Amino acid sequence: MPTLYHHPMSAASRFVRLILAEYGFQTELAEEQPWENRRDFLALNPAGTLPVYVDDSMRALCGASIISEYLDETHGVLKRDRRLLAEDPFQRAEIRRLTEWFLQKMEQDVTRPLVRERIFKLQMTSDQGGGPPDSKILRNSRANIRQHMKYLSWLAGSRTYLAGDRLSYADLAAAACLSVLDYMGEINWTEAPQAKDWYQRLKSRPSFRPLLAERVRGVTPVSHYADLDF
Amino acid sequence: MPTLYHHPMSAASRFVRLILAEYGFQTELAEEQPWENRRDFLALNPAGTLPVYVDDSMRALCGASIISEYLDETHGVLKRDRRLLAEDPFQRAEIRRLTEWFLQKMEQDVTRPLVRERIFKLQMTSDQGGGPPDSKILRNSRANIRQHMKYLSWLAGSRTYLAGDRLSYADLAAAACLSVLDYMGEINWTEAPQAKDWYQRLKSRPSFRPLLAERVRGVTPVSHYADLDF
């Protein structure tokens, strides 16, 4: 069975897990602490990033965008109206643009620093950079959330799904990212009712269930985290 | 005619210009100063990043990976043995992994900070963050170059082209990145003879010529920059 190296608080890992679940794939999950720079893990992915997908022939695919393109080419293409990337090249470009937005831009501006400061640093040793969160980083990252939520609300308000009429990688990427931030109670949903409606729909999909049941050491999720009707 | 918004010192822009030249595309080049956050440019690409490709129907494609996938789907697929992405999904994944390595990981560790400190800040106003380079950032970025050059040398020494037997996006991405660093004299070629052999081959391609003729305000390129036999 293929193995997915992941971390529960990695938005990119959650994105790939959602794709695999939507396509009905069985994979073994192996939790990786990316700050440990484990030698065997670096041999799989010299960049040291998550997720990494290792297929039955022990070939490694590194990173969310590479795994998602591979899954589209080898499986999505057969899924007809359940395919998570479009047929049309320009529509594919729009889905990829939004997927990048949430897994790279929002990741850099908001998700990565907040997860690192609030969750990873609790588990890191002081040699690894562990310790109390840096309040300046928390403040800056939180200030960036509002802009991203405004954009998400605009997308959710003007389209059925984020990239158009059908569920796509763009929705799974955004929902993966939002679910990590929501776990930590960082989202003010009352300010973003259209984004909330869209997220409620995503969160109710069977593919989401395993994510909502997961807990990380040291940080309890916000009370509405697993609530489908929050 | 399509337009490519670019900056001469943006590795991602150079990468797309190389693809377009390899495929024999004519495009109009529009130079964009990304730190200006020009309103009309942000309307094309809300993320504010380069390059942006605007086609004849005025549809915008934002970012190197999205443009390169689109060009593969609409043109590369017809190029047979001159195609810059492979046919096989796993080989495509390897090309994408290396492309990301140079345009994202090396960009973040080395290229972006060095270009910002040494070139962009000369042209920015003080409101925009302009001023003298930060010596700590220069030192850190330069310390990261060695590791990346080691990896590039290993790839160049063990394969004809970086991702295998044929020229691919991986070579164009790495060469785009290296050419920006070489312009600034940041590469110590004597330490990396295998990388140098590979770069010499890339640099001699006709697609490279326009890049080698370009100059940016305030910074003269290192003497061997345009020399094919350096």
Side-chain angles (χ1 to χ4, degrees), chain B:
Chain B
M1 197 186 288
T3 303
L4 187 76
Y5 290 83
H6 82 116
H7 189 281
M9 290 290 112
S10 140
S13 301
R14 289 188 160 216
F15 167 64
V16 170
R17 290 169 66 193
L18 289 171
I19 300 172
L20 294 168
E22 289 287 337
Y23 283 161
F25 259 68
Q26 299 291 327
T27 40
E28 196 115 13
L29 287 177
E31 187 173 325
E32 184 69 30
Q33 319 300 330
W35 60 86
E36 287 180 351
N37 290 319
R38 207 163 52 82
R39 186 183 290 261
D40 286 353
F41 181 66
L42 291 177
L44 286 174
N45 181 9
T49 49
L50 286 171
V52 173
Y53 178 88
V54 180
D55 75 2
D56 287 327
S57 317
M58 296 302 290
R59 299 185 301 187
L61 294 168
C62 307
S65 87
I66 284 150
I67 299 170
S68 65
E69 294 290 342
Y70 178 85
L71 291 174
D72 182 65
E73 289 163 2
T74 53
H75 298 86
V77 73
L78 310 167
K79 298 286 177 186
R80 295 168 179 271
D81 59 344
R82 286 180 49 237
R83 185 175 185 179
L84 296 163
L85 251 180
E87 303 286 324
D88 172 66
F90 199 80
Q91 184 60 22
R92 291 166 73 81
E94 178 63 359
I95 294 171
R96 289 184 180 121
R97 180 181 77 83
L98 292 172
T99 304
E100 266 194 18
W101 184 284
F102 293 102
L103 295 187
Q104 286 179 31
K105 187 168 169 55
M106 190 162 177
E107 176 76 14
Q108 197 173 309
D109 296 349
V110 178
T111 326
R112 187 185 303 142
L114 282 179
V115 168
R116 187 182 157 87
E117 295 302 321
R118 292 200 46 199
I119 297 185
F120 288 0
K121 279 170 78 173
L122 288 176
Q123 294 173 43
M124 289 161 128
T125 63
S126 55
D127 280 358
Q128 291 166 335
D134 179 323
S135 59
K136 195 175 155 215
I137 297 178
L138 291 181
R139 205 165 44 242
N140 287 346
S141 312
R142 283 172 177 154
N144 290 333
I145 295 182
R146 184 167 295 200
Q147 186 68 14
H148 283 283
M149 287 304 287
K150 235 168 100 176
Y151 190 49
L152 177 64
S153 292
W154 177 80
L155 291 168
S158 48
R159 300 167 172 180
T160 315
Y161 288 100
L162 300 188
D165 293 337
R166 274 170 46 188
L167 181 79
S168 77
Y169 280 170
D171 299 282
L172 303 186
C177 168
L178 273 270
S179 71
V180 168
L181 294 171
D182 194 40
Y183 185 101
M184 301 188 290
E186 296 285 356
I187 309 277
N188 181 348
W189 291 108
T190 54
E191 274 185 2
Q194 290 167 315
K196 186 180 170 180
D197 283 353
W198 161 86
Y199 184 59
Q200 218 154 20
R201 268 188 290 142
L202 263 287
K203 203 175 163 178
S204 305
R205 297 184 73 84
S207 61
F208 233 85
R209 246 174 254 152
L211 305 185
L212 299 178
E214 235 166 18
R215 299 293 175 267
V216 287
R217 195 158 36 128
V219 183
T220 312
V222 76
S223 61
H224 66 255
Y225 172 66
D227 198 346
L228 297 185
D229 199 28
F230 58 110

Side-chain angles (χ1 to χ4, degrees), chain A residues 22-25 71-72 75-84 87 166:
Chain A
E22 289 287 337
Y23 283 161
F25 259 69
L71 291 173
D72 182 64
H75 297 87
V77 73
L78 311 166
K79 297 287 177 184
R80 295 168 179 271
D81 59 342
R82 287 180 48 237
R83 186 176 185 178
L84 296 162
E87 303 287 324
R166 276 168 48 186

Side-chain angles (χ1 to χ4, degrees), chain A residues 149-169:
Chain A
M149 287 304 288
K150 236 170 99 175
Y151 190 50
L152 178 64
S153 292
W154 177 80
L155 291 168
S158 48
R159 300 166 172 181
T160 313
Y161 287 100
L162 299 188
D165 292 338
R166 276 168 48 186
L167 181 79
S168 77
Y169 280 171

Side-chain angles (χ1 to χ4, degrees), chain A residues 1-5 26-30 52-56 58:
Chain A
M1 195 186 288
T3 303
L4 187 77
Y5 290 82
Q26 299 292 326
T27 39
E28 196 115 13
L29 287 176
V52 173
Y53 178 88
V54 180
D55 76 2
D56 286 328
M58 296 302 289

